[in-house]
Amino acid sequence: MLSYQQSKAFYDRFGKKQDWQSFYEDVATGALIRNGEFPNASAVLEFGCGTGRFGERLLEGHLPPNARYVGIDISDTMVALAKERLARFGARAEVYLTDGSPQLDFGAATFDRFVSNYVLDLLTFEDIRTVLQEAWRVLSEGGLLGLSSLTHGFTAMSSVVENIWMTMHAIRPTLVGGCRPINLLEFATEPRWRLRCDDKFSKYGVPSEILVAEKVAIG
Ligand SMILES: C[S@@+](CC[C@H](N)C(=O)[O-])C[C@H]1O[C@@H](n2cnc3c(N)ncnc32)[C@H](O)[C@@H]1O
């Protein structure tokens, strides 16, 4: 696994090249948009916003005009790119640099959507659990969690790609951006989350999973 520092260094260098990953990510993030009920949202937090591409898609075509978007990322380069890309949305879009901690610097029940695309798959299992605890805390009751990530192969071709991916990750994690396949369903579990949708996609053999779950208030 990459440390926060290694992750930051990698994505600071990678910068705009991240958008090339859209060749396999867009099929999954498109499904996330269709299932995330964004036309009813008022405040979205994106963890690991990268170049701001997903935020731009939401603000441009899927959020109501008065909804706001906040993106956070560990990489200075990504924060600068996302700020530049989202500048035309004025006060509706904010982007902040973090130190990579899964603890979020936002109050309870501040957002009604929490999204993260292809970021949890480069965190430790412990950090993934903390991010989801924090997502639960910052979401209002009934708010939606929307995740996409690399996942395990589920067809002959995607299983071959998963094996190649894991081999590269074992040789040097930065060959694959530090990411490795995970199973999102293991993390967003009852009683805190009510599953709305869990789906898998394979594009050019790269297996992705999306998950949408509703925050359930627990006593
Ligand atoms: C694979 S990229 C995905 C970017 C974007 N979500 C997308 O789908 O294009 C991973 C992103 O997560 C960011 N990142 C990595 N570790 C992070 C952490 N601990 N906290 C916040 N952002 C992180 C990286 O800087 C990078 O922008």
Side-chain angles (χ1 to χ4, degrees), residues 128-144:
I128 297 174
R129 285 188 202 97
T130 308
V131 170
L132 291 202
Q133 276 167 20
E134 285 289 90
W136 188 89
R137 183 182 66 76
V138 301
L139 278 171
S140 48
E141 194 174 339
L144 296 182

Side-chain angles (χ1 to χ4, degrees), residues 3-189:
S3 66
Y4 296 156
Q5 273 174 339
Q6 289 169 323
S7 233
K8 175 179 163 45
F10 177 85
Y11 285 100
D12 275 347
R13 283 194 310 274
F14 203 53
K16 280 186 182 158
K17 291 198 277 291
Q18 174 56 37
D19 288 352
W20 299 352
Q21 310 304 311
S22 59
F23 82 90
Y24 67 86
E25 290 187 359
D26 277 5
V27 63
T29 52
L32 192 60
I33 287 176
R34 285 194 299 282
N35 287 281
E37 299 181 20
F38 291 100
N40 306 328
S42 59
V44 180
L45 176 62
E46 181 172 11
F47 181 82
C49 62
T51 65
R53 195 162 168 272
F54 190 73
E56 182 179 48
R57 279 165 83 189
L58 291 181
L59 287 159
E60 212 165 45
H62 303 284
L63 288 170
N66 57 348
R68 64 191 195 95
Y69 165 92
V70 178
I72 58 175
D73 204 285
I74 195 176
S75 153
D76 290 278
T77 307
M78 293 301 190
V79 166
L81 289 169
K83 279 187 172 168
E84 189 185 329
R85 182 174 226 155
L86 302 178
R88 67 191 166 103
F89 298 102
R92 293 181 67 203
E94 294 161 52
V95 184
Y96 299 106
L97 183 68
T98 71
D99 62 3
S101 165
Q103 305 283 350
L104 304 178
D105 209 6
F106 299 99
T110 314
F111 299 94
D112 56 8
R113 297 291 181 278
F114 179 101
V115 294
S116 192
N117 296 312
Y118 298 91
V119 182
L120 299 189
D121 45 24
L122 55 83
L123 302 183
T124 63
F125 288 163
E126 192 185 343
D127 275 0
I128 297 174
R129 285 188 202 97
T130 308
V131 170
L132 291 202
Q133 276 167 20
E134 285 289 90
W136 188 89
R137 183 182 66 76
V138 301
L139 278 171
S140 48
E141 194 174 339
L144 296 182
L145 171 73
L147 306 172
S148 63
S149 113
L150 281 174
T151 196
H152 301 292
F154 59 96
T155 59
M157 187 170 167
S158 59
S159 299
V160 170
V161 172
E162 180 189 8
N163 281 336
I164 296 168
W165 195 292
M166 289 307 291
T167 305
M168 290 166 74
H169 190 272
I171 294 169
R172 191 146 42 97
T174 49
L175 290 175
V176 284
C179 304
R180 84 298 194 201
I182 58 171
N183 178 7
L184 291 174
L185 256 189
E186 274 176 33
F187 299 99
T189 50

Side-chain angles (χ1 to χ4, degrees), residues 198-219:
D198 178 56
D199 221 341
K200 291 186 178 169
F201 303 88
S202 164
K203 192 77 179 184
Y204 301 105
V206 182
S208 294
E209 178 180 3
I210 66 149
L211 179 148
V212 177
E214 177 185 335
K215 170 179 173 170
V216 179
I218 50 175

